[in-house]
Amino acid sequence: MVVSLGMLTVFYLIVIGILYTTRRKAATKSFSEYAVGGRAYGPWFVAMSYVNSWWPGSTFIAFFGMAAGAGIFGFYGLAYSTLGVGLMYFLATRAWRWGAAYDLQSQPDLLGKRFDSHAVRVISSVVGVIAVFPWVVLGMQALGELFHVASGGTWSIAVSLVVGIAVIVIRQIWTVNMGMRGLIMTDMFQGVVAYGLSTLIGVIMLTGMGNSPISLSKLATIPEQFLRIPGDGGSYGPLYWFALIFTGVIGALCWPMSFQRIYTASSVRAVKASTTRTMLISGVFYTVLMLVGMAAVTVPEVAADPQGGWFTLLDQFGGTWLTGLAVVTVFAAAMGHIDGSVQVSGLQIANDIVQRPGKPLSDRQLTYIAKGSMAGFMLLATVVAFTTFNMTRLQLLAQISYQLVVQISVPLFLGIFWRGGNKYGAAAGMVFGSLVASIMTFFFPDDIPALGSLTGGIVGLAVNLVVYLVVYAVMGQGEEERERVAQFFEVAQHPTRRLGAAVAEPVLVASGADELRDEDSEL
């Protein structure tokens, strides 16, 4: 107990030290600086920030438990994550140039600009914030489990939950005050600990060194049922695997945290380079974690409690000290994910929901509203985390949130790559798609047997797409709208200077040394 809690304390103090160091170096107090760190970060910082916002602490619990309890099924996370992150590469040029030219701060900001609609901006922002909320609640509750392990089981779950929430709430004081710059810098440290250290430990265990309870050779002894994917026999239909992967791939860039990382990058090249680094970090980390989980299916203590398997294995391997490291790695991942979720939710509430067209708020006002929104978001999440801790169906909210957030993908992807569509179809598609996805997921939280095990999100997505296209076919675009969209796409055809928050119009660089700024500049 003393060792684990001591290691957590040291890690926490280092994070706070990094935050204070970052605050002294903050150059300005503009909202652009607060929201996207001044668009100043190179590929490694963007990549680690993206990884930190993608893999929460529950990866070591829920996903590890999936590999340890269901075998190769756990690898589905690797498939959709790799493909989903790869999409960022193709979005990078247009998304970054529009962001820099129009000083966009968020994903809804881009959608509002693309469709010239405040309603589209608000709807996409509300969908994103609602989708993120259950994950913050689950992250808080996972911290309760974590402190229960760190205390050696001497603290009750209730006490551990209080401690876990208190620790993460205190951490948010700096997240709220410092914005994106502090988040990016701590993401680098937290990511190295969470994903780098856990990968190293996993590789050592897989070699069978020392007293490792597992090794790669154990994979050859795994029973056959652990090598089957859902749909290959059993209760799931043939489309279940496709539905999981497809939803994950298109959802990867729909999460507000993911898309905002594009705007923190210093250039198009930085975004593209960060994509390859994100795929590398995620691929190595997750592959090793799943191999460790699958090799552990033969360990009786892990088979009895797959979701606690990461802690069980490291305790068997190295006793108290490695148990402490296991706790720290999960804590680092959980903290990074919650930080990113709270930060982007507060920004979207201020920038995309509260701010009204024709009445722009000052940087100071936006920053104050964002900070207040983050504090309110955390307060509400804290209350829900306490009141629903023993509510087994809470996981359903997380499932609905995932099926919900992919509804942003229709106006997002079609809006970026196609000049067709209009604001009425974009808004109506998201509304109807979200309603259908939520209702279907409520009644069929896992899959819909009558549809070959498709999920509610896929059905909602189909409705969303049909509404988008039908409304466009019926209403079309006026001449003025076609001209506006053509100019919007023209901006993305040329290298673009990064603009300050006070500049509202794009600057296209025709020639000269600055011409390639968005291609070449990196931190």
Side-chain angles (χ1 to χ4, degrees):
M1 174 179 174
V2 174
V3 172
S4 296
L5 293 178
M7 293 171 75
L8 279 175
T9 303
V10 170
F11 171 81
Y12 196 78
L13 292 176
I14 292 174
V15 170
I16 301 305
I18 293 172
L19 287 169
Y20 273 108
T21 303
T22 304
R23 185 168 68 174
R24 286 202 298 271
K25 294 180 179 178
T28 70
K29 295 182 178 179
S30 71
F31 188 66
S32 182
E33 165 67 29
Y34 184 76
V36 293
R39 306 182 203 278
Y41 289 92
W44 278 114
F45 283 96
V46 176
M48 192 58 90
S49 180
Y50 191 14
V51 172
N52 229 220
S53 67
W54 184 253
W55 298 115
S58 59
T59 305
F60 294 90
I61 300 172
F63 282 81
F64 185 91
M66 209 182 301
I72 200 168
F73 180 33
F75 272 97
Y76 97 94
L78 177 65
Y80 79 74
S81 297
T82 304
L83 293 172
V85 170
L87 282 177
M88 184 194 286
Y89 190 92
F90 301 102
L91 292 174
T93 301
R94 292 184 178 188
W96 192 91
R97 286 177 177 174
W98 282 325
Y102 296 108
D103 197 33
L104 304 179
Q105 315 293 344
S106 64
Q107 179 195 76
D109 218 357
L110 171 61
L111 286 171
K113 190 71 179 177
R114 164 62 179 83
F115 292 99
D116 191 26
S117 168
H118 185 62
V120 170
R121 183 174 171 179
V122 171
I123 292 169
S124 60
S125 185
V126 169
V127 170
V129 171
I130 291 176
V132 164
F133 184 76
W135 292 97
V136 174
V137 173
L138 291 174
M140 288 180 167
Q141 295 182 341
L143 287 176
E145 298 283 354
L146 186 150
F147 275 95
H148 181 66
V149 173
S151 68
T154 58
W155 292 354
S156 69
I157 290 293
V159 172
S160 300
L161 178 63
V162 171
V163 174
I165 290 177
V167 167
I168 201 65
V169 167
I170 292 171
R171 166 67 177 88
Q172 299 313 304
I173 293 173
W174 290 276
T175 299
V176 170
N177 282 329
M178 300 179 61
M180 182 58 75
R181 188 173 289 276
L183 202 66
I184 294 266
M185 299 306 291
T186 52
D187 274 345
M188 177 58 76
F189 172 67
Q190 290 166 177
V192 168
V193 172
Y195 314 108
L197 186 58
S198 63
T199 300
L200 177 63
I201 295 171
V203 169
I204 292 173
M205 281 198 295
L206 287 171
T207 63
M209 292 175 60
N211 297 317
S212 175
I214 62 161
S215 67
L216 279 174
S217 62
K218 293 283 184 70
L219 294 172
T221 65
I222 293 175
E224 184 180 351
Q225 67 265 27
F226 290 100
L227 301 177
R228 292 178 178 170
I229 61 174
D232 183 18
S235 59
Y236 289 109
L239 297 179
Y240 187 66
W241 187 254
F242 159 78
L244 290 180
I245 302 297
F246 183 73
T247 304
V249 169
I250 63 172
L253 281 178
C254 291
W255 289 105
M257 300 85 75
S258 302
F259 202 85
Q260 195 185 28
R261 296 303 180 266
I262 294 177
Y263 292 150
T264 64
S266 59
S267 66
V268 171
R269 176 171 293 185
V271 178
K272 291 187 173 181
S274 72
T275 301
T276 58
R277 287 160 172 76
T278 301
M279 294 173 69
L280 175 66
I281 297 169
S282 290
V284 173
F285 155 70
Y286 194 80
T287 299
V288 170
L289 188 69
M290 291 301 101
L291 288 176
V292 170
M294 287 185 65
V297 300
T298 57
V299 178
E301 293 82 358
V302 175
D305 179 21
Q307 297 206 4
W310 176 247
F311 303 111
T312 301
L313 282 181
L314 267 65
D315 181 61
Q316 291 185 1
F317 185 35
T320 303
W321 286 98
L322 273 188
T323 302
L325 281 180
V327 168
V328 170
T329 55
V330 178
F331 183 64
M335 182 186 287
H337 189 266
I338 293 174
D339 288 346
S341 300
V342 171
Q343 207 260 358
V344 78
S345 296
L347 293 177
Q348 287 197 178
I349 292 171
N351 188 61
D352 306 314
I353 298 177
V354 176
Q355 184 162 235
R356 312 296 300 175
K359 297 180 179 178
L361 300 172
S362 67
D363 282 5
R364 173 175 290 188
Q365 289 173 319
L366 282 170
T367 304
Y368 283 154
I369 294 172
K371 289 179 177 180
S373 300
M374 290 180 204
F377 190 87
M378 278 299 292
L379 180 62
L380 183 59
T382 301
V383 172
V384 175
F386 269 111
T387 56
T388 63
F389 186 67
N390 294 317
M391 179 180 164
T392 55
R393 299 270 298 172
L394 184 64
Q395 184 63 31
L396 175 61
L397 296 179
Q399 289 176 259
I400 291 175
S401 75
Y402 210 93
Q403 309 300 334
L404 190 63
V405 78
V406 298
Q407 305 308 322
I408 299 173
S409 67
V410 172
L412 181 65
F413 295 158
L414 292 182
I416 288 177
F417 293 112
W418 183 43
R419 301 187 185 201
N422 57 44
K423 58 185 178 183
Y424 304 107
M430 283 190 288
V431 170
F432 282 106
S434 299
L435 287 174
V436 171
S438 300
I439 293 170
M440 296 295 287
T441 306
F442 182 82
F443 288 106
F444 302 97
D446 197 5
D447 66 318
I448 305 171
L451 297 178
S453 286
L454 285 178
T455 57
I458 298 289
V459 179
L461 204 56
V463 172
N464 188 344
L465 179 61
V466 169
V467 170
Y468 184 94
L469 295 176
V470 168
V471 171
Y472 175 59
V474 173
M475 301 183 68
Q477 288 178 336
E479 185 62 34
E480 185 178 344
E481 175 66 2
R482 277 197 294 274
E483 178 63 24
R484 188 193 65 78
V485 173
Q487 290 180 0
F488 185 72
F489 275 79
E490 180 66 17
V491 170
Q493 300 301 313
H494 306 278
T496 306
R497 288 194 182 104
R498 285 178 284 162
L499 302 184
V503 182
E505 297 301 325
V507 175
L508 305 184
V509 181
S511 62
D514 286 341
E515 207 170 306
L516 299 179
R517 177 169 295 183
D518 74 346
E519 304 292 350
D520 293 339
S521 63
E522 294 179 4
L523 189 70

